[in-house]
Amino acid sequence: MSEELKLTILKKLDSEGSIENTTAAFKDVSEDVVLGALKSLESQEKVTYVTLTTEFWTIEAEGKDQLENGSYEARIFEAVPAGSQGIAIKDLEAKFGKVAKLGQGKCLANKWVKKDGDSLVRVADSIVDQVKAGLETVHATGTHPSKDAIKDLKRRKLIKANKTISYAVSKGAQFSTELKKQATDLTIEMMQSGAWKSAEFKKFNFKSLGVNPNSGNLHPLMKVREEFRQVFFETGFEEMPTNNFVESSFWNFDALFVPQKHSARDLQDTFYLTDPTVANSLPDFWETVRDVHEKGGYGSIGYRYPWSEDEAKKLVLRTHTTAVSAHMLNKLAQGPYRPAKYFSIDRVYRNETVDATHLAEFHQVEGVIADKNMSLGSLISFLDIFFKKMGMTDLRFKPTYNPYTEPSMEIFSYHEGLGEWLELGNSGMFRPEMLRSLGLEEGVQVAGFGLSLERPTMFKYNISNIRELMGHGVDLGMVARNPACRLDKKMGKEALQRPEAVDEI
């Protein structure tokens, strides 16, 4: 059809010189098909064309009723008898229904009738139904010579505007009635045969938008992670290197003053490597760590058990990023004293049963502050500032137990939308048994805190099953659709919990 139409257009131009209106010339062909043929011919410079837009009016259902039976006001006027007696308004309403009220108002405005008590009486002897006359003109011609008439009919929703698009076509610079297939690519075969010399190539259309290229999208976890990173940077923290996913039990547990019989080191909680199974060596201060575990020190009596070097060498997938913090604090102790703030956000691994809220791998957000004269009050004061930057101002702290912090606190925030206190994370002051073994001098205290990355992400993006956030079940469409994260703004479940949330979204 397309090739036939192109030939028909070219032959018509050849015989007539131009085509004034394609709608009239090709009545049985849709304008979309005509436009496609014209664009193709224009690209070959065989034709040029101009778009013609014609506006016309069609009569709506209510207009068709008034075209056939007269306008509402004309019907009311005809129903009012001549003379001073008139007709009761309630009789008009009984006869015409809702039309009576509309027609009555127009009649009074046109001064065709007047009220006399509860009746209408004629004022004019006769009338001209301009509405019906206007509709007859529109019906016959598709328009009306009077703009005021069109405006009135449109306001009364008796007519509707429509547009038709057609094209005026002229000969182009390379006009001919012959259609030659254009080549779109220069191929190796054309180069070898020499066919490229006589081939006619299709011109590039630089106005075409082309196909949108596929692009990557940031995962919701990465969006929330970046928000956390910015909060840390704003409060003066340095980011720790977290590329060691495998740690020795020494760094993951022993250096943190976690006893070797602690339940966290059981197979049901920790992933142990099978190849290789152990680290080649331990750091220089391993004997200090051993002695603190066995005999105590720095104000502690220790755990009083035989510490095993073989146990400390076992390799594990790190169960927390606090192992990274231990490395950094040991490195900090090697140089002259200076205050430090470190943070990390990366994956950790636990041998847990996978369900809607737990995975065997997840992300931990951790921060540590090392300084002299640090206290629990200093930590609470900082946490108030830190979480305020995320839009959380009402905090509570609950005492808890951690092997390597004392005192230790769980952090809670009141959520107005849910009407309950939500646990945010854990915090505390690192024990001197850990800090002095790592080489930090007397008087230097270290506060630490940590929280999950997944929980705030699920909350922000209204995700109820963690397996929809990580793993093979992730919907890539969800990744592409979700907006950027703002920790200090309400979104996801937070927004949905409040009545005014609809306006904000």
Side-chain angles (χ1 to χ4, degrees), residues 123-291:
V123 174
D125 295 328
S126 62
I127 62 164
V128 176
D129 191 351
Q130 296 288 356
V131 172
K132 182 178 181 181
L135 288 170
E136 287 172 345
T137 303
V138 171
H139 179 67
T141 64
T143 186
H144 197 287
S146 170
K147 290 184 179 180
D148 290 338
I150 287 289
K151 186 177 179 180
D152 183 57
L153 294 174
K154 181 183 176 183
R155 182 179 56 79
R156 295 176 66 162
K157 298 181 180 179
L158 303 179
I159 60 175
K160 182 177 75 172
N162 298 270
K163 288 183 179 180
T164 59
I165 295 177
S166 59
Y167 307 95
V169 189
S170 306
K171 293 179 180 180
Q174 303 296 326
F175 176 79
S176 72
T177 56
E178 180 187 1
L179 277 179
K180 189 175 181 181
K181 187 174 181 179
Q182 291 181 308
T184 56
D185 297 297
L186 179 62
T187 65
I188 190 170
E189 291 79 14
M190 295 170 70
M191 296 288 289
Q192 290 172 341
S193 65
W196 63 272
K197 296 177 181 178
S198 57
E200 184 177 327
F201 289 92
K202 188 174 183 179
K203 290 188 176 182
F204 283 111
N205 181 6
F206 293 104
K207 295 180 181 179
S208 175
L209 295 177
V211 178
N212 287 329
N214 291 327
S215 61
N217 298 278
L218 283 177
H219 190 281
L221 279 172
M222 295 300 99
K223 295 174 185 176
V224 177
R225 178 180 182 273
E226 185 57 30
E227 280 289 296
F228 271 112
R229 291 181 77 241
Q230 293 308 315
V231 171
F232 276 116
F233 288 138
E234 287 172 13
T235 48
F237 279 72
E238 302 173 50
E239 190 165 15
M240 294 185 278
T242 55
N243 54 334
N244 280 349
F245 295 101
V246 175
E247 292 281 5
S248 68
S249 292
F250 178 87
W251 284 108
N252 199 76
F253 297 117
D254 294 278
L256 305 182
F257 199 56
V258 177
Q260 292 185 340
K261 298 298 182 182
H262 195 280
S263 59
R265 301 173 78 144
D266 294 343
L267 284 172
Q268 62 263 33
D269 291 315
T270 301
F271 289 109
Y272 285 86
L273 269 65
T274 57
D275 185 22
T277 57
V278 295
N280 293 328
S281 61
L282 296 177
D284 296 339
F285 62 94
W286 71 269
E287 291 176 330
T288 305
V289 172
R290 178 200 62 192
D291 291 344

Side-chain angles (χ1 to χ4, degrees), residues 227-228 230-236 382-393 395 460 486-489:
E227 280 289 296
F228 271 112
Q230 293 308 315
V231 171
F232 276 116
F233 288 138
E234 287 172 13
T235 48
F382 170 77
L383 291 174
D384 281 333
I385 297 169
F386 182 81
F387 285 105
K388 187 174 182 180
K389 287 183 173 289
M390 302 179 198
M392 304 174 192
T393 55
L395 298 182
K460 288 288 183 183
R486 289 284 303 277
L487 290 176
D488 59 339
K489 299 294 181 183

Side-chain angles (χ1 to χ4, degrees), residues 76 80 85-97 100-101 104-105 108 113-121:
I76 296 299
V80 177
Q85 186 175 357
I87 187 173
I89 293 174
K90 64 179 181 179
D91 293 338
L92 287 172
E93 291 175 351
K95 182 177 181 180
F96 293 104
K101 202 166 189 178
Q104 175 186 322
L108 291 169
V113 298
K114 68 178 182 179
K115 273 189 176 182
D116 185 8
D118 294 332
S119 301
L120 290 181
V121 296

Side-chain angles (χ1 to χ4, degrees), residues 190-483:
M190 295 170 70
M191 296 288 289
Q192 290 172 341
S193 65
W196 63 272
K197 296 177 181 178
S198 57
E200 184 177 327
F201 289 92
K202 188 174 183 179
K203 290 188 176 182
F204 283 111
N205 181 6
F206 293 104
K207 295 180 181 179
S208 175
L209 295 177
V211 178
N212 287 329
N214 291 327
S215 61
N217 298 278
L218 283 177
H219 190 281
L221 279 172
M222 295 300 99
K223 295 174 185 176
V224 177
R225 178 180 182 273
E226 185 57 30
E227 280 289 296
F228 271 112
R229 291 181 77 241
Q230 293 308 315
V231 171
F232 276 116
F233 288 138
E234 287 172 13
T235 48
F237 279 72
E238 302 173 50
E239 190 165 15
M240 294 185 278
T242 55
N243 54 334
N244 280 349
F245 295 101
V246 175
E247 292 281 5
S248 68
S249 292
F250 178 87
W251 284 108
N252 199 76
F253 297 117
D254 294 278
L256 305 182
F257 199 56
V258 177
Q260 292 185 340
K261 298 298 182 182
H262 195 280
S263 59
R265 301 173 78 144
D266 294 343
L267 284 172
Q268 62 263 33
D269 291 315
T270 301
F271 289 109
Y272 285 86
L273 269 65
T274 57
D275 185 22
T277 57
V278 295
N280 293 328
S281 61
L282 296 177
D284 296 339
F285 62 94
W286 71 269
E287 291 176 330
T288 305
V289 172
R290 178 200 62 192
D291 291 344
V292 169
H293 277 250
E294 290 185 347
K295 304 171 187 176
Y298 315 111
S300 168
I301 63 171
Y303 292 115
R304 302 300 179 99
Y305 71 95
W307 186 86
S308 169
E309 183 180 352
D310 292 337
E311 182 69 26
K313 284 185 176 181
K314 289 181 180 178
L315 293 175
V316 299
L317 289 178
R318 67 182 180 208
T319 61
H320 46 202
T321 52
T322 314
V324 180
S325 301
H327 279 286
M328 293 301 294
L329 291 173
N330 177 246
K331 184 178 179 181
L332 179 66
Q334 307 310 309
Y337 164 75
R338 67 175 180 87
K341 293 180 180 179
Y342 298 125
F343 82 93
S344 63
I345 307 172
D346 212 334
R347 292 194 185 190
V348 296
Y349 305 87
R350 305 272 175 87
N351 193 1
E352 295 195 23
T353 302
V354 176
D355 57 28
T357 56
H358 296 86
L359 288 177
E361 59 176 312
F362 56 95
H363 293 77
Q364 182 176 336
V365 181
E366 178 161 337
V368 294
I369 306 172
D371 201 353
K372 291 183 177 180
N373 301 317
M374 279 285 293
S375 67
L376 193 65
S378 307
L379 175 60
I380 291 173
S381 176
F382 170 77
L383 291 174
D384 281 333
I385 297 169
F386 182 81
F387 285 105
K388 187 174 182 180
K389 287 183 173 289
M390 302 179 198
M392 304 174 192
T393 55
D394 199 353
L395 298 182
R396 278 185 181 177
F397 302 92
K398 175 185 173 183
T400 189
Y401 168 75
N402 290 317
Y404 46 87
T405 59
E406 178 62 34
S408 306
M409 305 180 300
E410 290 177 341
I411 311 164
F412 292 82
S413 174
Y414 185 76
H415 192 279
E416 294 180 1
L418 296 177
E420 61 179 297
W421 289 90
L422 300 179
E423 183 180 351
L424 300 179
N426 224 315
S427 65
M429 302 296 296
F430 284 124
R431 296 175 68 109
E433 298 97 320
M434 169 189 165
L435 299 179
R436 305 303 163 247
S437 298
L438 291 172
L440 291 170
E441 64 184 68
E442 286 285 344
V444 176
Q445 286 85 33
V446 179
F449 61 97
L451 58 149
S452 162
L453 183 65
E454 280 74 11
R455 182 163 187 174
T457 303
M458 292 172 69
F459 209 70
K460 288 288 183 183
Y461 289 98
N462 199 21
I463 297 171
S464 58
N465 191 330
I466 196 171
R467 288 168 290 194
E468 296 175 7
L469 188 65
M470 281 186 68
H472 63 278
V474 171
D475 175 15
L476 294 180
M478 176 275 292
V479 175
R481 288 189 303 270
N482 275 317

